[in-house]
Protein backbone atom coordinates (compact mmCIF):
# COMPACT_ATOMS: atom_id res chain seq x y z
CA UNK A 1 0.00 0.00 0.00
CA UNK A 2 1.48 3.33 -1.03
CA UNK A 3 0.71 6.78 -2.39
CA UNK A 4 4.12 6.72 -4.09
CA UNK A 5 4.72 10.15 -5.69
CA UNK A 6 1.12 11.25 -5.17
CA UNK A 7 -0.13 13.26 -2.13
CA UNK A 8 -0.43 11.31 1.12
CA UNK A 9 -4.24 11.41 0.80
CA UNK A 10 -4.11 9.19 -2.27
CA UNK A 11 -2.89 5.84 -1.01
CA UNK A 12 -3.45 2.90 -3.29
CA UNK A 13 -2.58 -0.76 -3.72
CA UNK A 14 0.04 -2.35 -5.96
CA UNK A 15 -0.64 -5.91 -7.11
CA UNK A 16 2.03 -8.46 -7.97
CA UNK A 17 2.00 -11.99 -9.34
CA UNK A 18 4.87 -14.33 -10.14
CA UNK A 19 5.39 -12.54 -13.45
CA UNK A 20 5.65 -9.10 -11.82
CA UNK A 21 3.49 -6.05 -11.25
CA UNK A 22 0.09 -5.77 -12.88
CA UNK A 23 -0.68 -3.20 -15.58
CA UNK A 24 -3.22 -0.41 -15.07
CA UNK A 25 -5.72 -2.21 -17.29
CA UNK A 26 -5.38 -5.39 -15.23
CA UNK A 27 -5.86 -3.51 -11.95
CA UNK A 28 -8.95 -1.82 -13.40
CA UNK A 29 -10.34 -5.23 -14.34
CA UNK A 30 -9.81 -6.51 -10.79
CA UNK A 31 -11.54 -3.44 -9.34
CA UNK A 32 -14.46 -3.73 -11.76
CA UNK A 33 -14.94 -7.42 -10.96
CA UNK A 34 -14.77 -6.74 -7.22
CA UNK A 35 -17.27 -3.89 -7.48
CA UNK A 36 -19.65 -6.01 -9.55
CA UNK A 37 -19.52 -8.90 -7.10
CA UNK A 38 -19.96 -6.57 -4.16
CA UNK A 39 -22.95 -4.78 -5.68
CA UNK A 40 -24.61 -8.05 -6.67
CA UNK A 41 -23.66 -9.79 -3.42
CA UNK A 42 -22.58 -12.81 -5.46
CA UNK A 43 -19.83 -13.74 -3.06
CA UNK A 44 -19.98 -14.00 0.70
CA UNK A 45 -16.59 -13.27 2.22
CA UNK A 46 -15.71 -15.01 5.47
CA UNK A 47 -13.33 -13.38 7.93
CA UNK A 48 -12.42 -16.80 9.35
CA UNK A 49 -9.28 -18.52 8.09
CA UNK A 50 -8.84 -22.27 8.04
CA UNK A 51 -5.17 -21.82 8.93
CA UNK A 52 -3.61 -19.16 11.15
CA UNK A 53 -1.54 -16.59 9.23
CA UNK A 54 2.24 -16.94 9.26
CA UNK A 55 4.33 -13.86 9.92
CA UNK A 56 7.37 -13.54 7.66
CA UNK A 57 10.00 -10.82 7.99
CA UNK A 58 10.44 -10.14 4.30
CA UNK A 59 12.49 -6.98 4.83
CA UNK A 60 15.29 -8.84 6.60
CA UNK A 61 15.36 -11.46 3.86
CA UNK A 62 15.39 -8.76 1.18
CA UNK A 63 18.15 -6.72 2.86
CA UNK A 64 20.29 -9.85 3.22
CA UNK A 65 19.72 -10.60 -0.46
CA UNK A 66 21.02 -7.14 -1.42
CA UNK A 67 24.04 -7.48 0.88
CA UNK A 68 24.95 -10.85 -0.61
CA UNK A 69 24.77 -9.45 -4.15
CA UNK A 70 27.18 -6.64 -3.24
CA UNK A 71 29.61 -8.99 -1.47
CA UNK A 72 29.62 -11.58 -4.24
CA UNK A 73 29.99 -9.17 -7.15
CA UNK A 74 32.58 -6.91 -5.52
CA UNK A 75 34.49 -9.95 -4.25
CA UNK A 76 36.80 -7.73 -2.20
CA UNK A 77 40.28 -9.26 -1.95
CA UNK A 78 40.86 -8.09 1.65
CA UNK A 79 37.52 -7.77 3.46
CA UNK A 80 34.94 -9.80 1.57
CA UNK A 81 32.23 -9.37 4.25
CA UNK A 82 32.73 -5.60 4.47
CA UNK A 83 33.32 -4.44 0.88
CA UNK A 84 32.11 -0.90 1.65
CA UNK A 85 34.72 -0.22 4.34
CA UNK A 86 36.32 3.14 3.67
CA UNK A 87 33.34 4.46 1.69
CA UNK A 88 31.08 7.27 2.88
CA UNK A 89 27.54 7.02 1.55
CA UNK A 90 24.66 9.39 2.29
CA UNK A 91 21.07 8.14 2.10
CA UNK A 92 18.11 10.53 1.86
CA UNK A 93 14.93 8.49 2.37
CA UNK A 94 12.73 11.61 2.46
CA UNK A 95 10.79 10.09 5.40
CA UNK A 96 9.58 7.37 3.07
CA UNK A 97 10.27 3.67 3.47
CA UNK A 98 13.88 3.65 2.21
CA UNK A 99 15.66 4.19 5.54
CA UNK A 100 16.22 0.44 5.89
CA UNK A 101 18.85 0.61 3.16
CA UNK A 102 21.08 2.59 5.52
CA UNK A 103 21.18 0.33 8.56
CA UNK A 104 20.18 -3.03 7.03
CA UNK A 105 22.42 -2.91 3.95
CA UNK A 106 25.13 -0.21 3.96
CA UNK A 107 26.07 -0.17 7.66
CA UNK A 108 26.34 -3.95 7.78
CA UNK A 109 28.72 -3.89 4.81
CA UNK A 110 31.08 -1.45 6.51
CA UNK A 111 29.99 1.86 4.95
CA UNK A 112 30.09 5.13 6.87
CA UNK A 113 26.55 6.55 6.56
CA UNK A 114 26.93 9.48 8.98
CA UNK A 115 25.03 12.50 7.70
CA UNK A 116 22.18 10.52 6.14
CA UNK A 117 18.85 12.33 6.01
CA UNK A 118 15.18 11.77 6.91
CA UNK A 119 15.42 8.03 7.53
CA UNK A 120 12.36 7.66 9.78
CA UNK A 121 9.06 7.03 7.96
CA UNK A 122 6.55 9.86 8.27
CA UNK A 123 3.64 9.87 5.84
CA UNK A 124 3.23 13.64 6.18
CA UNK A 125 6.72 14.13 4.65
CA UNK A 126 7.72 17.10 6.86
CA UNK A 127 11.02 17.86 5.10
CA UNK A 128 10.43 17.50 1.36
CA UNK A 129 8.73 15.28 -1.18
CA UNK A 130 10.54 11.90 -1.33
CA UNK A 131 11.23 11.98 -5.03
CA UNK A 132 14.52 11.81 -6.99
CA UNK A 133 13.05 14.34 -9.42
CA UNK A 134 12.37 16.86 -6.63
CA UNK A 135 14.83 19.78 -6.68
CA UNK A 136 14.79 20.17 -2.89
CA UNK A 137 15.46 16.47 -2.33
CA UNK A 138 18.45 16.55 -4.66
CA UNK A 139 19.73 19.87 -3.28
CA UNK A 140 19.80 18.79 0.37
CA UNK A 141 21.41 15.48 -0.60
CA UNK A 142 24.05 17.36 -2.58
CA UNK A 143 24.79 19.54 0.46
CA UNK A 144 25.10 16.48 2.71
CA UNK A 145 27.47 14.78 0.25
CA UNK A 146 29.74 17.82 0.06
CA UNK A 147 29.65 18.56 3.82
CA UNK A 148 30.61 14.98 4.67
CA UNK A 149 33.01 14.45 1.74
CA UNK A 150 30.94 11.42 0.79
CA UNK A 151 31.61 9.12 -2.14
CA UNK A 152 27.94 8.85 -3.05
CA UNK A 153 24.52 10.23 -2.17
CA UNK A 154 21.31 8.24 -2.65
CA UNK A 155 17.77 9.61 -2.97
CA UNK A 156 14.79 7.27 -2.76
CA UNK A 157 11.16 7.94 -3.49
CA UNK A 158 8.43 6.99 -1.03
CA UNK A 159 8.19 3.27 -1.79
CA UNK A 160 11.73 2.79 -3.16
CA UNK A 161 10.74 1.81 -6.66
CA UNK A 162 12.60 4.91 -7.90
CA UNK A 163 15.99 6.31 -7.03
CA UNK A 164 18.56 8.92 -7.97
CA UNK A 165 22.13 9.56 -6.86
CA UNK A 166 24.61 12.37 -6.27
CA UNK A 167 28.26 11.78 -7.16
CA UNK A 168 31.26 12.70 -5.00
CA UNK A 169 31.53 16.11 -6.68
CA UNK A 170 27.95 16.94 -5.72
CA UNK A 171 26.49 16.46 -9.20
CA UNK A 172 22.87 15.26 -9.16
CA UNK A 173 22.34 12.19 -11.34
CA UNK A 174 18.70 11.65 -12.24
CA UNK A 175 16.56 11.69 -15.37
CA UNK A 176 18.61 11.17 -18.54
CA UNK A 177 21.84 11.17 -16.52
CA UNK A 178 20.71 8.24 -14.38
CA UNK A 179 19.64 6.30 -17.47
CA UNK A 180 23.03 7.05 -19.06
CA UNK A 181 24.86 5.88 -15.93
CA UNK A 182 22.91 2.64 -15.74
CA UNK A 183 23.34 2.15 -19.49
CA UNK A 184 27.13 2.53 -19.19
CA UNK A 185 27.18 -0.11 -16.43
CA UNK A 186 24.83 -2.54 -18.20
CA UNK A 187 26.56 -2.24 -21.58
CA UNK A 188 29.88 -3.20 -19.99
CA UNK A 189 28.24 -6.37 -18.74
CA UNK A 190 26.03 -7.03 -21.77
CA UNK A 191 27.58 -5.53 -24.94
CA UNK A 192 25.06 -4.77 -27.64
CA UNK A 193 22.06 -4.81 -25.33
CA UNK A 194 18.97 -2.80 -26.17
CA UNK A 195 18.10 -0.10 -23.62
CA UNK A 196 14.37 0.68 -23.44
CA UNK A 197 13.29 4.15 -22.26
CA UNK A 198 10.25 6.38 -22.47
CA UNK A 199 9.99 8.86 -25.33
CA UNK A 200 10.92 11.91 -23.23
CA UNK A 201 14.62 11.12 -23.24
CA UNK A 202 17.01 13.30 -25.19
CA UNK A 203 18.62 12.69 -28.57
CA UNK A 204 21.94 13.04 -26.73
CA UNK A 205 21.08 9.96 -24.66
CA UNK A 206 20.45 7.97 -27.84
CA UNK A 207 23.89 9.03 -29.07
CA UNK A 208 25.47 8.10 -25.71
CA UNK A 209 23.95 4.61 -25.83
CA UNK A 210 24.81 3.89 -29.46
CA UNK A 211 28.39 5.10 -29.04
CA UNK A 212 28.80 2.40 -26.37
CA UNK A 213 27.53 -0.31 -28.67
CA UNK A 214 23.95 -0.38 -27.43
CA UNK A 215 20.62 0.12 -29.14
CA UNK A 216 18.07 2.63 -27.89
CA UNK A 217 14.39 1.74 -28.03
CA UNK A 218 12.17 4.72 -27.18
CA UNK A 219 8.70 3.72 -26.13
CA UNK A 220 5.52 5.00 -24.52
CA UNK A 221 5.68 7.01 -21.29
CA UNK A 222 4.74 5.00 -18.19
CA UNK A 223 7.03 2.68 -16.30
CA UNK A 224 4.85 -0.39 -16.88
CA UNK A 225 4.84 0.38 -20.61
CA UNK A 226 8.64 0.61 -20.67
CA UNK A 227 9.14 -2.54 -18.61
CA UNK A 228 6.57 -4.54 -20.56
CA UNK A 229 8.26 -3.49 -23.81
CA UNK A 230 11.55 -4.88 -22.49
CA UNK A 231 9.86 -8.13 -21.53
CA UNK A 232 8.34 -8.41 -25.00
CA UNK A 233 11.64 -7.71 -26.76
CA UNK A 234 13.35 -10.47 -24.79
CA UNK A 235 10.56 -12.88 -25.69
CA UNK A 236 11.13 -11.92 -29.34
CA UNK A 237 14.82 -12.80 -29.04
CA UNK A 238 16.11 -9.23 -28.72
CA UNK A 239 18.26 -8.84 -25.60
CA UNK A 240 17.08 -5.89 -23.50
CA UNK A 241 18.77 -5.85 -20.11
CA UNK A 242 17.70 -2.37 -18.94
CA UNK A 243 14.35 -0.56 -19.05
CA UNK A 244 14.19 2.92 -17.53
CA UNK A 245 11.88 5.90 -17.42
CA UNK A 246 13.10 9.46 -16.91
CA UNK A 247 11.25 9.58 -13.57
CA UNK A 248 13.82 7.17 -12.08
CA UNK A 249 11.71 4.03 -12.48
CA UNK A 250 13.95 1.29 -13.73
CA UNK A 251 14.04 -2.46 -14.13
CA UNK A 252 16.70 -4.98 -15.03
CA UNK A 253 16.32 -8.34 -16.73
CA UNK A 254 18.63 -9.90 -14.13
CA UNK A 255 16.23 -8.75 -11.37
CA UNK A 256 13.12 -10.30 -12.92
CA UNK A 257 12.02 -7.01 -14.54
CA UNK A 258 11.04 -5.48 -11.19
CA UNK A 259 11.08 -1.69 -10.80
CA UNK A 260 13.32 -1.71 -7.75
CA UNK A 261 15.14 1.52 -6.88
CA UNK A 262 17.29 -0.15 -4.24
CA UNK A 263 18.53 -2.76 -6.72
CA UNK A 264 19.47 0.03 -9.16
CA UNK A 265 21.51 1.70 -6.43
CA UNK A 266 23.18 -1.64 -5.61
CA UNK A 267 24.39 -1.83 -9.22
CA UNK A 268 25.85 1.68 -8.95
CA UNK A 269 27.54 0.94 -5.63
CA UNK A 270 29.14 -2.23 -7.01
CA UNK A 271 30.51 -0.27 -9.98
CA UNK A 272 31.83 2.46 -7.68
CA UNK A 273 33.74 -0.05 -5.54
CA UNK A 274 35.07 -1.92 -8.58
CA UNK A 275 36.38 1.34 -10.05
CA UNK A 276 38.27 2.13 -6.86
CA UNK A 277 39.68 -1.40 -6.60
CA UNK A 278 40.80 -1.03 -10.21
CA UNK A 279 42.84 2.04 -9.31
CA UNK A 280 40.49 4.74 -10.57
CA UNK A 281 40.48 8.00 -8.61
CA UNK A 282 37.33 9.18 -10.37
CA UNK A 283 33.82 8.72 -9.03
CA UNK A 284 30.87 7.18 -10.81
CA UNK A 285 30.06 10.55 -12.36
CA UNK A 286 33.01 10.05 -14.71
CA UNK A 287 31.05 7.33 -16.52
CA UNK A 288 28.67 9.94 -17.97
CA UNK A 289 31.04 12.86 -18.53
CA UNK A 290 30.53 12.51 -22.31
CA UNK A 291 26.75 12.81 -22.08
CA UNK A 292 25.56 16.01 -23.70
CA UNK A 293 22.58 17.89 -22.29
CA UNK A 294 19.70 19.35 -24.31
CA UNK A 295 20.03 23.09 -24.82
CA UNK A 296 16.48 23.63 -23.57
CA UNK A 297 13.94 21.43 -21.84
CA UNK A 298 10.42 22.41 -20.75
CA UNK A 299 7.44 20.60 -19.18
CA UNK A 300 4.01 22.25 -19.09
CA UNK A 301 0.50 21.10 -18.14
CA UNK A 302 -2.93 21.77 -19.59
CA UNK A 303 -5.82 20.99 -17.22
CA UNK A 304 -8.93 19.48 -18.77
CA UNK A 305 -11.91 21.68 -17.96
CA UNK A 306 -14.96 19.44 -17.93
CA UNK A 307 -17.06 17.25 -15.71
CA UNK A 308 -14.83 14.61 -14.06
CA UNK A 309 -16.64 11.80 -15.89
CA UNK A 310 -15.80 13.41 -19.24
CA UNK A 311 -12.19 14.43 -18.53
CA UNK A 312 -10.52 11.30 -19.89
CA UNK A 313 -12.51 11.38 -23.14
CA UNK A 314 -11.74 15.08 -23.61
CA UNK A 315 -8.00 14.47 -23.12
CA UNK A 316 -8.04 11.62 -25.63
CA UNK A 317 -9.95 13.84 -28.09
CA UNK A 318 -7.32 16.60 -27.80
CA UNK A 319 -4.39 14.22 -28.29
CA UNK A 320 -5.98 12.40 -31.22
CA UNK A 321 -6.71 15.77 -32.82
CA UNK A 322 -3.02 16.64 -32.33
CA UNK A 323 -2.07 13.46 -34.18
CA UNK A 324 -4.40 14.33 -37.07
CA UNK A 325 -3.00 17.86 -37.34
CA UNK A 326 0.59 16.60 -37.48
CA UNK A 327 -0.17 13.76 -39.91
CA UNK A 328 -2.01 16.14 -42.25
CA UNK A 329 0.90 18.61 -42.22
CA UNK A 330 -1.15 21.39 -40.63
CA UNK A 331 1.70 22.37 -38.29
CA UNK A 332 4.58 23.51 -40.46
CA UNK A 333 7.79 21.51 -39.99
CA UNK A 334 6.23 18.97 -37.62
CA UNK A 335 6.30 15.23 -38.26
CA UNK A 336 5.11 12.31 -36.13
CA UNK A 337 8.20 10.70 -34.64
CA UNK A 338 8.47 6.93 -34.88
CA UNK A 339 11.39 7.22 -32.46
CA UNK A 340 13.99 5.66 -34.68
CA UNK A 341 14.95 2.04 -35.13
CA UNK A 342 13.02 0.74 -32.13
CA UNK A 343 10.32 -1.55 -33.53
CA UNK A 344 7.69 1.01 -32.59
CA UNK A 345 5.35 2.82 -34.94
CA UNK A 346 2.71 5.52 -34.57
CA UNK A 347 4.80 7.80 -32.40
CA UNK A 348 5.17 5.70 -29.26
CA UNK A 349 1.48 4.84 -29.06
CA UNK A 350 1.03 1.19 -29.98
CA UNK A 351 2.89 -1.64 -31.69
CA UNK A 352 0.66 -1.95 -34.72
CA UNK A 353 2.66 -4.83 -36.16
CA UNK A 354 2.39 -6.95 -33.01
CA UNK A 355 -0.04 -9.84 -33.00
CA UNK A 356 -0.92 -8.87 -29.43
CA UNK A 357 -0.68 -5.06 -29.24
CA UNK A 358 -0.13 -3.52 -25.82
CA UNK A 359 -3.13 -2.14 -23.99
CA UNK A 360 -3.33 1.64 -24.04
CA UNK A 361 -3.32 3.16 -20.55
CA UNK A 362 -2.79 6.73 -21.78
CA UNK A 363 -2.77 8.33 -25.21
CA UNK A 364 0.39 10.12 -26.32
CA UNK A 365 2.33 11.23 -29.39
CA UNK A 366 5.73 12.73 -30.08
CA UNK A 367 6.49 15.02 -33.01
CA UNK A 368 9.93 15.99 -34.26
CA UNK A 369 10.23 19.61 -35.32
CA UNK A 370 12.41 21.10 -38.08
CA UNK A 371 12.69 24.29 -40.08
CA UNK A 372 14.33 25.14 -43.40
CA UNK A 373 17.08 27.25 -41.82
CA UNK A 374 18.24 25.34 -38.71
CA UNK A 375 17.22 21.83 -39.68
CA UNK A 376 16.00 19.66 -36.80
CA UNK A 377 15.15 21.81 -33.78
CA UNK A 378 13.85 19.28 -31.26
CA UNK A 379 10.65 17.48 -30.33
CA UNK A 380 7.24 17.91 -28.66
CA UNK A 381 5.49 15.16 -26.69
CA UNK A 382 1.83 15.31 -25.63
CA UNK A 383 0.58 12.80 -23.08
CA UNK A 384 -2.69 12.17 -21.29
CA UNK A 385 -2.05 11.91 -17.54
CA UNK A 386 -3.04 8.61 -15.96
CA UNK A 387 -3.54 10.06 -12.48
CA UNK A 388 -5.01 13.52 -13.07
CA UNK A 389 -7.34 15.28 -15.54
CA UNK A 390 -4.61 17.03 -17.50
CA UNK A 391 -2.30 16.73 -20.50
CA UNK A 392 1.47 16.88 -20.05
CA UNK A 393 3.45 18.73 -22.71
CA UNK A 394 7.19 17.98 -22.85
CA UNK A 395 9.55 19.83 -25.20
CA UNK A 396 13.29 19.62 -25.85
CA UNK A 397 15.34 21.81 -28.14
CA UNK A 398 18.89 21.71 -29.46
CA UNK A 399 18.91 25.42 -30.35
CA UNK A 400 18.38 28.64 -28.34
CA UNK A 401 14.74 29.73 -28.35
CA UNK A 402 13.62 26.44 -29.84
CA UNK A 403 11.17 25.59 -27.08
CA UNK A 404 9.45 28.95 -27.30
CA UNK A 405 9.07 28.72 -31.07
CA UNK A 406 7.59 25.21 -30.72
CA UNK A 407 5.20 26.39 -28.00
CA UNK A 408 4.04 29.27 -30.20
CA UNK A 409 3.37 26.85 -33.06
CA UNK A 410 1.55 24.49 -30.70
CA UNK A 411 -0.72 27.29 -29.51
CA UNK A 412 -1.31 29.13 -32.80
CA UNK A 413 -1.33 26.30 -35.33
CA UNK A 414 -2.94 23.58 -33.19
CA UNK A 415 -4.73 24.69 -30.01
CA UNK A 416 -6.39 27.78 -31.47
CA UNK A 417 -6.91 26.29 -34.94
CA UNK A 418 -8.43 23.00 -33.76
CA UNK A 419 -10.81 24.37 -31.14
CA UNK A 420 -9.64 21.99 -28.40
CA UNK A 421 -8.52 24.98 -26.31
CA UNK A 422 -12.18 25.54 -25.35
CA UNK A 423 -11.95 22.69 -22.82
CA UNK A 424 -8.26 23.04 -21.89
CA UNK A 425 -6.60 25.49 -19.50
CA UNK A 426 -3.77 26.75 -21.69
CA UNK A 427 -2.47 29.37 -19.23
CA UNK A 428 1.05 27.90 -19.05
CA UNK A 429 1.23 27.55 -22.84
CA UNK A 430 0.06 31.14 -23.33
CA UNK A 431 2.61 32.56 -20.89
CA UNK A 432 5.49 30.74 -22.61
CA UNK A 433 4.26 31.74 -26.08
CA UNK A 434 4.15 35.42 -25.07
CA UNK A 435 7.66 35.50 -23.59
CA UNK A 436 10.14 37.77 -25.40
Amino acid sequence: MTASHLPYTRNGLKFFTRRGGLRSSEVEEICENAARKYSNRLVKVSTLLNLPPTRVDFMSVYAQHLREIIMERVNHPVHYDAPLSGFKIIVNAGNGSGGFFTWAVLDKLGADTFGSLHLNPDGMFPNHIPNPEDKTAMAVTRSAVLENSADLGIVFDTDVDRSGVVDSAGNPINGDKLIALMSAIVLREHPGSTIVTDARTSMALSKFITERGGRHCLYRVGYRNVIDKGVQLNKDGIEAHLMMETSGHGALKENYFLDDGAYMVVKIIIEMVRMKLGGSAEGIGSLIKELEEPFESVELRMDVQSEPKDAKARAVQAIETFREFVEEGRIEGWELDSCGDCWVTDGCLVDTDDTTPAAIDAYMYRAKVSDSIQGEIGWVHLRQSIHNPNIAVNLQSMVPGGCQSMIKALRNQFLMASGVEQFLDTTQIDKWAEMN
Side-chain angles (χ1 to χ4, degrees), residues 39-68:
S39 62
N40 295 332
R41 301 297 195 275
L42 296 179
V43 177
K44 292 183 178 180
V45 179
S46 173
T47 57
L48 299 177
L49 299 174
N50 294 327
L51 295 172
T54 302
R55 184 176 179 84
V56 179
D57 183 5
F58 280 116
M59 286 303 295
S60 294
V61 174
Y62 175 60
Q64 181 180 345
H65 171 64
L66 296 181
R67 294 197 305 270
E68 289 175 349

Side-chain angles (χ1 to χ4, degrees), residues 23 45 133 159 161 189 224 238 278 317 326 358 369 385 400 407 419 430:
R23 301 187 188 95
V45 179
E133 291 184 288
D159 49 358
D161 58 5
E189 299 172 343
R224 283 288 355 148
I238 300 166
Q317 177 187 343
V326 177
V369 181
S385 173
I407 289 171
D430 295 338

Side-chain angles (χ1 to χ4, degrees), residues 6 48 73 98 154 187-188 198 206 221 228 273-274 353 392:
L6 298 171
L48 299 177
R73 297 186 186 176
I154 300 166
L187 288 171
R188 286 182 177 183
D198 67 89
S206 296
V221 176
D228 289 344
V273 179
R274 283 175 173 173
D353 57 346

Side-chain angles (χ1 to χ4, degrees), residues 329 331-335 368-371 413:
I331 310 178
E332 187 177 353
W334 291 35
E335 179 184 352
K368 57 184 176 183
V369 181
S370 306
D371 69 23
Q413 298 180 50

Side-chain angles (χ1 to χ4, degrees), residues 387-409:
H387 303 291
N388 299 295
N390 64 46
I391 292 173
V393 183
N394 289 87
L395 308 95
Q396 280 194 9
S397 172
M398 297 174 290
V399 299
C403 283
Q404 188 184 6
S405 68
M406 290 188 288
I407 289 171
K408 283 183 177 180

Side-chain angles (χ1 to χ4, degrees), residues 57-169:
D57 183 5
F58 280 116
M59 286 303 295
S60 294
V61 174
Y62 175 60
Q64 181 180 345
H65 171 64
L66 296 181
R67 294 197 305 270
E68 289 175 349
I69 290 172
I70 295 173
M71 288 188 291
E72 291 171 4
R73 297 186 186 176
V74 169
N75 194 22
H76 201 286
V78 179
H79 32 82
Y80 179 88
D81 294 333
L84 302 186
S85 294
F87 285 90
K88 292 185 178 182
I89 302 176
I90 299 291
V91 175
N92 182 357
N95 299 112
S97 58
F100 81 95
F101 195 80
T102 311
W103 56 77
V105 179
L106 300 179
D107 289 349
K108 291 188 176 182
L109 294 178
D112 177 358
T113 58
F114 179 80
S116 290
L117 304 163
H118 318 317
L119 303 180
N120 295 323
D122 184 337
M124 299 301 289
F125 309 126
N127 293 289
H128 58 71
I129 299 170
N131 184 346
E133 291 184 288
D134 183 68
K135 292 181 180 179
T136 301
M138 296 304 286
V140 297
T141 308
R142 177 181 186 275
S143 296
V145 167
L146 295 176
E147 289 171 8
N148 293 277
S149 299
D151 299 285
L152 186 70
I154 300 166
V155 180
F156 288 126
D157 82 331
T158 319
D159 49 358
V160 199
D161 58 5
R162 294 188 294 149
S163 56
V165 297
V166 175
D167 70 11
S168 57

